[in-house]
Amino acid sequence: MGVAAKAWRFSVTSANLALLQHPNGSVLSNKHVFWRWRSFAAQQRKPISWSLLCGLMLFCLGMISLFTGHVASDLEWYSQRLVERSLYFKLDVINKGPIDIWKSEYAKYFYGCSKRSREFPRVELTHSDHFDATHERSSNGYLLIAASGGLNQQRTGIADAVVVARILNATLVVPELDHNSYWKDDSDFVDIFDVNWFISYLAKDVTIVKRVPDKFMRSMEKPPYTMRVPRKSPPEYYLDQVLPILKRRHVLQLTKFDYRLASNIDEELQKLRCRANFHALRFTKPIQELGQKLVMRIREMAKHFIAVHLRFEPDMLAFSGCYFGGGDKERYELGEIRKRWATLPDLSAAGERSRSKCPLTPHEVGLMLRALGFANDTYLYVASGEIYGGEETLRPLRELFPNFYTKEMFANDKLKPFLQFSSRLAAIDYIVCDESDVFVTNNNGNMARILAGRRRYMGHKRTIRPNAKRLGPLLMERDQMDWDTFARKVKAVQRGFMGEPDEMRPGRGEFHEYPYSCICKKPLSDTVDNKSGDP
């Protein structure tokens, strides 16, 4: 097939892509078409001379304009679109080259976008804790939410609760945090998040109050109705099953509220999810100040640093059913912890490791980072809870990266007010991890997913997640190959797990980890004129 024929086929395919439809029947937006188009482009294996192709297409468009009477402005518009598509196609070529371990080469072409559109009507209710007639007429009732799990698991529930309140046209009461999870933290919402900012920032989207008015509670004939909705319920479920109860009882509580809203929902609701998660949920001033002090301390010592989130606590290892080389002592200790979950099945530790279901050890995390190209003098901030095995477990990682720091090392005295509250300590780690140049995790838990999504939204900052299925077997065989071979293979298997923009596609994974509806590409003029890539 000649070059001109290829160009014709490409232009026809691009036109057809604009007609692609979402599974729900709606026409895909330009952003979704862009992702589909990138997927199509990635399948083309033969090298193409884009300068030649663009020249031929522009020549053809010019000839068409002579016969059809198109004015010069039309030709200029077609030229702009053609060059833009050529530019974004080249991102695939860039991504096949050596990976910059500190930042994405083409993150500058994308930015976080979650503003409310004109089609998304504002809430005009009064925003106070006082019950009034206007409030009663406009809202379908009060929605109480009991979040579940640790800090980041609860964060997903809070963000989803905002969206559910919008779907139900309900007045959201500031969510209750889980005091009965493994961490036994009795912190309330106001102890971790800036509640006034949360209420005011979302005021145009959802009415939020700190509590159900006492006057209204006293007038109720029955206590609030309590129910638990299924995991990942679509908006239709809330409208069909939850709304009638809310209207009848006026106050409704949803319990164990984590991941109770479907991942794939209307784009405007997805953007509300992003506004709630990335903007409205701001930590309290004491937590913010201490977190930023830690960031400043490490920035004074190093231009760049890595934040490593190690989930290697005893409960997490016991739950995994894996074995980590600690002999009979480890088998007994983790076995006793595992008895807390009566419903857990018996698992083969060897089978779980062969299926890559085990979290990386601190040593394996260090090997992965060194293989990717991070030098021995790289600064590491390690965010973690209680590490199983303590200093002995951490020693191999320290030897690989001697510049090893934790929040306790930086702010031991200043941490005293927070030491009894695991969620507040996790919030401090969250801030440092979010501000780091590179974020690394040894698992795909809640904090890893939430931070991966936030870092994508905030500019696709480098985020490294282990490719467990391929990296696990490679780590088990590392003694059977020389270092250069091992490093080359690690770099190969980690492609697609480094936080690059093209890792996100509509419908992939949990929305909190892949907030595709809230990522936009910049206009061509911005990407050409603004070499720094700043928004």
Side-chain angles (χ1 to χ4, degrees):
M1 184 179 294
V3 173
K6 287 184 179 179
W8 176 84
R9 185 183 66 179
F10 176 78
S11 63
V12 171
T13 305
S14 300
N16 290 340
L17 282 173
L19 300 178
L20 287 174
Q21 290 189 333
H22 192 275
N24 64 14
S26 61
V27 178
L28 290 174
S29 65
N30 290 336
K31 176 170 55 182
H32 290 160
V33 172
F34 168 70
W35 290 112
R36 294 285 186 90
W37 176 80
R38 279 182 50 77
S39 176
F40 161 79
Q43 297 173 5
Q44 309 307 304
R45 300 301 182 189
K46 296 182 180 180
I48 301 174
S49 174
W50 277 98
S51 58
L52 177 62
L53 181 58
C54 291
L56 286 172
M57 294 189 70
L58 288 173
F59 174 77
C60 294
L61 288 171
M63 294 300 294
I64 292 173
S65 69
L66 292 176
F67 291 100
T68 62
H70 282 183
V71 295
S73 59
D74 294 327
L75 183 58
E76 182 179 353
W77 182 87
Y78 283 113
S79 174
Q80 176 84 354
R81 293 295 299 273
L82 181 60
V83 174
E84 180 176 314
R85 291 185 178 223
S86 172
L87 173 64
Y88 289 116
F89 181 88
K90 290 178 181 178
L91 298 183
D92 284 319
V93 179
I94 294 173
N95 201 31
K96 297 185 188 312
I99 295 176
D100 185 332
I101 55 178
W102 286 107
K103 63 180 180 180
S104 168
E105 288 289 331
Y106 58 100
K108 61 186 178 183
Y109 297 107
F110 304 90
Y111 66 98
C113 53
S114 61
K115 289 184 178 179
R116 180 189 312 101
S117 74
R118 294 180 179 179
E119 291 73 28
F120 198 64
R122 298 181 178 184
V123 172
E124 301 295 345
L125 302 182
T126 57
H127 308 293
S128 69
D129 288 342
H130 301 293
F131 182 80
D132 56 38
T134 303
H135 194 139
E136 185 180 19
R137 285 198 307 270
S138 303
S139 171
N140 286 323
Y142 290 95
L143 182 65
L144 304 172
I145 294 292
S148 179
L151 173 66
N152 291 285
Q153 187 173 343
Q154 292 183 105
R155 192 182 186 104
T156 65
I158 295 167
D160 286 355
V162 171
V163 179
V164 169
R166 174 77 187 205
I167 293 170
L168 298 175
N169 189 29
T171 299
L172 178 65
V173 180
V174 171
E176 298 178 5
L177 302 190
D178 188 350
H179 297 163
N180 301 311
S181 65
Y182 172 82
W183 294 272
K184 303 297 181 184
D185 189 332
D186 61 0
S187 298
D188 291 321
F189 190 101
V190 296
D191 298 315
I192 300 174
F193 300 108
D194 185 335
V195 65
N196 292 326
W197 172 263
F198 178 71
I199 293 172
S200 63
Y201 189 90
L202 295 169
K204 295 178 181 178
D205 295 305
V206 177
T207 299
I208 305 175
V209 297
K210 294 180 181 178
R211 62 185 179 277
V212 179
D214 294 337
K215 179 180 178 181
F216 185 78
M217 290 292 288
R218 288 194 298 269
S219 68
M220 293 177 57
E221 297 180 358
K222 298 180 180 180
Y225 187 85
T226 299
M227 66 180 296
R228 185 186 304 179
V229 299
R231 285 286 182 100
K232 301 181 180 179
S233 295
E236 292 76 15
Y237 178 89
Y238 286 94
L239 293 172
D240 295 340
Q241 304 296 325
V242 180
L243 182 58
I245 299 174
L246 176 66
K247 285 184 172 182
R248 185 170 66 251
R249 299 297 294 268
H250 304 297
V251 180
L252 173 65
Q253 182 178 47
L254 302 181
T255 62
K256 290 283 185 180
F257 201 81
D258 60 328
Y259 299 104
R260 302 290 165 174
L261 180 62
S263 208
N264 187 20
I265 57 178
D266 177 80
E267 186 171 288
E268 284 300 325
L269 293 177
Q270 297 284 45
K271 288 182 180 294
L272 175 56
R273 238 176 185 164
C274 293
R275 291 196 292 277
N277 192 0
F278 303 137
H279 297 284
L281 283 175
R282 187 168 72 180
F283 293 120
T284 60
K285 188 175 180 180
I287 292 175
Q288 284 276 9
E289 288 180 345
L290 184 52
Q292 291 300 329
K293 282 181 181 178
L294 299 187
V295 173
M296 290 175 62
R297 285 287 304 280
I298 198 167
R299 289 286 184 201
E300 290 171 357
M301 297 186 296
K303 182 179 179 181
H304 302 295
F305 76 96
I306 300 174
V308 180
H309 179 231
L310 286 179
R311 278 302 317 272
F312 213 71
E313 297 92 342
D315 69 301
M316 189 263 194
L317 303 186
F319 189 87
S320 73
C322 298
Y323 173 67
F324 300 93
D328 292 338
K329 180 176 181 291
E330 177 190 312
R331 291 189 180 94
Y332 173 76
E333 291 176 344
L334 297 187
E336 288 298 301
I337 297 174
R338 192 171 173 82
K339 291 178 181 178
R340 298 175 184 172
W341 298 283
T343 59
L344 287 183
D346 291 330
L347 297 174
S348 164
E352 292 301 287
R353 183 160 292 277
S354 66
R355 293 191 300 120
S356 303
K357 296 295 184 180
C358 301
L360 300 189
T361 67
H363 185 205
E364 290 171 335
V365 171
L367 290 172
M368 177 186 72
L369 293 177
R370 291 298 300 274
L372 287 172
F374 292 102
N376 177 259
D377 60 355
T378 300
Y379 278 70
L380 255 63
Y381 176 90
V382 177
S384 69
E386 175 192 358
I387 296 294
Y388 181 71
E391 185 58 35
E392 184 178 350
T393 301
L394 289 173
R395 186 178 298 115
L397 179 58
R398 285 183 183 272
E399 292 174 352
L400 290 168
F401 294 96
N403 295 316
F404 179 107
Y405 297 92
T406 65
K407 56 183 174 295
E408 290 80 9
M409 297 169 65
F410 277 129
N412 200 10
D413 292 338
K414 295 182 176 63
L415 279 177
K416 288 181 180 179
F418 303 95
L419 289 178
Q420 302 302 313
F421 308 102
S422 59
S423 291
R424 299 183 212 184
L425 292 174
I428 293 169
D429 277 337
Y430 180 101
I431 292 171
V432 182
C433 291
D434 183 39
E435 294 285 343
S436 66
D437 298 283
V438 176
F439 173 65
V440 182
T441 178
N442 70 325
N443 74 105
N444 200 31
N446 290 301
M447 183 169 176
R449 289 197 294 267
I450 288 291
L451 270 169
R454 177 177 175 82
R455 289 172 67 87
R456 288 185 173 102
Y457 180 82
M458 294 298 179
H460 285 285
K461 293 187 287 186
R462 178 65 74 209
T463 302
I464 300 175
R465 299 172 299 122
N467 179 357
K469 289 185 178 179
R470 298 182 63 191
L471 190 61
L474 184 59
L475 285 166
M476 294 175 65
E477 300 169 359
R478 67 181 181 275
D479 294 334
Q480 304 173 22
M481 65 188 80
D482 61 71
W483 177 256
D484 290 341
T485 301
F486 174 72
R488 185 176 68 253
K489 290 187 176 183
V490 169
K491 290 173 183 176
V493 303
Q494 279 301 119
R495 284 191 178 275
F497 293 81
M498 301 288 286
E500 293 290 335
D502 67 347
E503 294 175 15
M504 278 204 319
R505 293 179 180 86
R508 176 181 179 180
E510 294 288 344
F511 183 78
H512 295 289
E513 183 179 2
Y514 297 99
Y516 51 87
S517 297
C518 303
I519 306 294
C520 298
K521 69 179 187 295
K522 292 184 179 180
L524 178 64
S525 57
D526 289 353
T527 58
V528 172
D529 297 337
N530 186 358
K531 299 300 183 182
S532 66
D534 296 332

